[in-house]
Amino acid sequence: MSSETTTAPPQALPKKMRWFDGFAMSMTMPAALIATLGASISGLGGWGAAILWAISMILAMGVNWLYTELATMFPNSSGGIADYAAKAWKSRAPWVAPLAGVGYWLPWGTNLATYGAVTGALVQAQWFPEADWAVSFGPIHLSFPIVVGLGVIVLLWGINAIGVRMAMSFVYITAALLMIPLFVFIVLPLFSGDWHPGELTWRLASGWEGLRTALVWMYIMAWTTFGIEVCATFAPEYKNSVKDTTRAIKAAVLFCLGVFFLIPLTLGGYAGEAAIDEDPAAFFVGAFGNLVGGASDFMVICLIASLILIMTTSVADASRVLYNMGREHVTVPAVGKLDRRGIPMRSLNVMLVMNILVLVVLQSPLAIIVTGNLGYILTHILAVSGYWLLRKDRPVAVRPIKLPRFFTPLSIVLAVLLAVILVVGATGFSITGYGGLKELFIALGVLAAGVIIWAVVRKRDQASGWVAPSDEDSTSAH
């Protein structure tokens, strides 16, 4: 074998994962639920939150069931649902590729900054309350929580730079820690003697106002419930892309459906809505201490672990999506390269720089992340409707998993429902207090920038004669 062959960078991501690795990645969603549960109970009441979380999860279950077929049609795609949308709409609207790609990548890609800042705030509040210093250098602002957040960002970048097995080891450690509060919050309240589900309320108004409020909250919840599609992004890296992808998605769907319905009832019924209203962001820390007899430090460690799990999954997912966008020339082609170990280092480096800038300049980028829901839900709409288009345009394509025929009209129904949630949610920020017109325009501007970059790259490709590889019926089972 020649030296050129042995030293050349690989052309595909290495296949080192199994379905339970993808399932472990999906534990990001219950972790995100713990972080946002209080706000939903405070706004909707315990029963209202439980029902809406369950409805949102049922919608996510239907959507992700469709993705099991799409993932096996394109087992070599590391772009996940954004790439499914691009392939389905390519002949009709090629600009869907950058729209879906950027819409999907932005919320996942900036999670390091968001949850890094939250991690820093938790560390300060629990162990270093006196470290309240802050310095500024023009637009750059540093404080103790920001420095901790920067340290977490660099740490997780380094873990992913080492390789997928190191990242998965970190995922399993943090997921194991997450299972402790999940068990405590779901099981122990039932035997505590202080669980009063009958005292939970339904705060949704009747009529159009109640429906509008529910749709806006479902817009917010979608980022958490629909995120189990992360299992599909790693399809090329599963040892058996067909079987492992579908097993990971199905396991994540069923597990999260139970968790998302039960925790608002069990933990909400134990803590009480009055305590949740008083401190929706951290009420569960006190509830955990009461249930196990103290151990607030350990609860904060578990919470930080859950945030690190979100960030680890986010950097792994978003870097692969950006790598696939570069490989497909949907964005700057330079990011679509692997290093000699099969790691998308250029994509990882872009994410490192972006998250450092977001954290030190914006400090608290939560509004941008929540605004990212616009692009995220739009990507789901394009991918779900793309299921119908692929059935129509490629009737003889190889489909290792082919769902029953009723899933075709179901995909249209789900796309319409998501479109309604998108329109009502993106124009109703004020109901939940998660932003306003400024955040909406930021989201639209980022999506537009993605399309402009794609147009420039496409023009250069046409001038140079670059031709995208065909994906017609490219479904070999691995």
Side-chain angles (χ1 to χ4, degrees), residues 96-119:
V96 162
L99 197 65
V102 174
Y104 181 85
W105 174 76
L106 178 65
W108 278 107
T110 50
N111 267 350
L112 280 173
T114 300
Y115 294 108
V118 176
T119 300

Side-chain angles (χ1 to χ4, degrees), residues 343-357:
I343 298 171
M345 276 305 303
R346 294 183 180 183
S347 296
L348 284 171
N349 292 337
V350 168
M351 291 187 59
L352 174 67
V353 173
M354 176 185 68
N355 279 281
I356 288 176
L357 289 175

Side-chain angles (χ1 to χ4, degrees), residues 1-26:
M1 186 176 291
S2 67
S3 60
E4 288 80 8
T5 301
T6 58
T7 59
Q11 299 301 310
L13 294 162
K15 301 176 76 64
K16 297 182 179 180
M17 297 177 64
R18 297 304 302 265
W19 72 266
F20 41 82
D21 294 323
F23 173 71
M25 289 281 193
S26 74

Side-chain angles (χ1 to χ4, degrees), residues 46-68:
W47 282 106
I51 296 300
L52 278 190
W53 279 113
I55 291 174
S56 183
M57 195 64 234
I58 290 171
L59 285 176
M61 179 172 64
V63 166
N64 279 275
W65 228 261
L66 297 175
Y67 296 154
T68 62

Side-chain angles (χ1 to χ4, degrees), residues 67 83 86 108 216 262 368 446:
Y67 296 154
D83 198 46
W108 278 107
V216 172
L262 290 174
I368 293 179
V446 171

